[in-house]
Amino acid sequence: MTKPAAPKRHLPTSPFKAPVIPAPKHFSVGDQVTHDMYGLGRVIGIEDGIAVLVDFGSAQKRILSPYAKMTKL
């Protein structure tokens, strides 16, 4: 098995712009969200910076940060 590559650091002398780091997503209890795999849901619990508990109707899932596949509606 291979490990994923470490992110490359940006050199200050590089002629290219540094990659933009997306701002972390913030959710609050009651927010309606959509997930690429589970569909529509509602946030029912929050663990600050770690995970969000979402009720998708048929199941409750704990979605870990950085919430790449989940967006707030």
Side-chain angles (χ1 to χ4, degrees):
M1 294 175 72
T2 60
K3 292 183 180 179
K8 295 182 181 180
R9 64 187 178 106
H10 182 264
L11 298 174
T13 58
S14 174
F16 303 104
K17 292 183 180 180
V20 177
I21 299 171
K25 296 180 183 177
H26 295 285
F27 297 100
S28 56
V29 175
D31 284 348
Q32 190 170 15
V33 296
T34 182
H35 190 276
D36 291 351
M37 202 159 106
Y38 303 116
L40 290 174
R42 187 164 302 274
V43 176
I44 57 173
I46 297 175
E47 298 174 30
D48 288 333
I50 300 171
V52 174
L53 185 62
V54 182
D55 181 15
F56 289 104
S58 60
Q60 292 181 356
K61 298 288 182 180
R62 185 173 176 252
I63 310 296
L64 299 175
S65 179
Y67 319 114
K69 297 181 179 182
M70 191 166 71
T71 55
K72 187 186 214 180
L73 297 178

